[in-house]
Amino acid sequence: MGEFVTAFTNSAFSRKQENEADDYAFKFCIENDVDPYAMAKALEKLVKLSNGEKSNAIQKMLASHPDSKDRAARMRAKAEEYVNN
């Protein structure tokens, strides 16, 4: 049980770091005149390449990365906000 709690805690921390890395990369793209939708498109490609396979609840809880589909949606929303402001 202790290993499960440790894995869960570490995965949540890793997902937070991954979101921070995505935010940094998005900012980098904007600052370097890269298409604001580039990250969303890349993550959507990953989803497509995985044939849209979904993780079960346990896999999602222990995953060190946020779900690619969720990451793509988050980056697309950031791009929309950037373009519309």
Side-chain angles (χ1 to χ4, degrees), residues 26-42:
F26 180 81
K27 182 180 174 190
F28 180 87
C29 288
I30 298 305
E31 290 173 349
N32 290 281
D33 298 319
V34 175
D35 176 11
Y37 292 95
M39 288 193 55
K41 291 175 184 177

Side-chain angles (χ1 to χ4, degrees), residues 47 50-57 59-60 67 69-70:
V47 171
S50 71
N51 296 318
E53 291 179 17
K54 297 189 178 201
S55 302
N56 66 37
Q59 289 170 325
K60 283 183 179 182
D67 183 67
K69 188 174 181 180
D70 294 341

Side-chain angles (χ1 to χ4, degrees), residues 3-80:
E3 289 179 27
F4 177 78
V5 171
T6 299
F8 179 75
T9 302
N10 288 342
S11 66
F13 183 70
S14 296
R15 286 191 301 266
K16 180 178 182 273
Q17 288 177 315
E18 194 70 26
N19 284 334
E20 289 172 355
D22 287 347
D23 290 342
Y24 177 85
F26 180 81
K27 182 180 174 190
F28 180 87
C29 288
I30 298 305
E31 290 173 349
N32 290 281
D33 298 319
V34 175
D35 176 11
Y37 292 95
M39 288 193 55
K41 291 175 184 177
L43 289 163
E44 289 164 353
K45 182 72 170 181
L46 286 176
V47 171
K48 188 175 181 179
L49 290 172
S50 71
N51 296 318
E53 291 179 17
K54 297 189 178 201
S55 302
N56 66 37
I58 299 294
Q59 289 170 325
K60 283 183 179 182
M61 279 193 321
L62 297 177
S64 61
H65 286 62
D67 183 67
S68 294
K69 188 174 181 180
D70 294 341
R71 289 174 68 197
R74 185 171 171 272
M75 290 297 103
R76 185 160 289 283
K78 284 181 79 73
E80 291 289 334

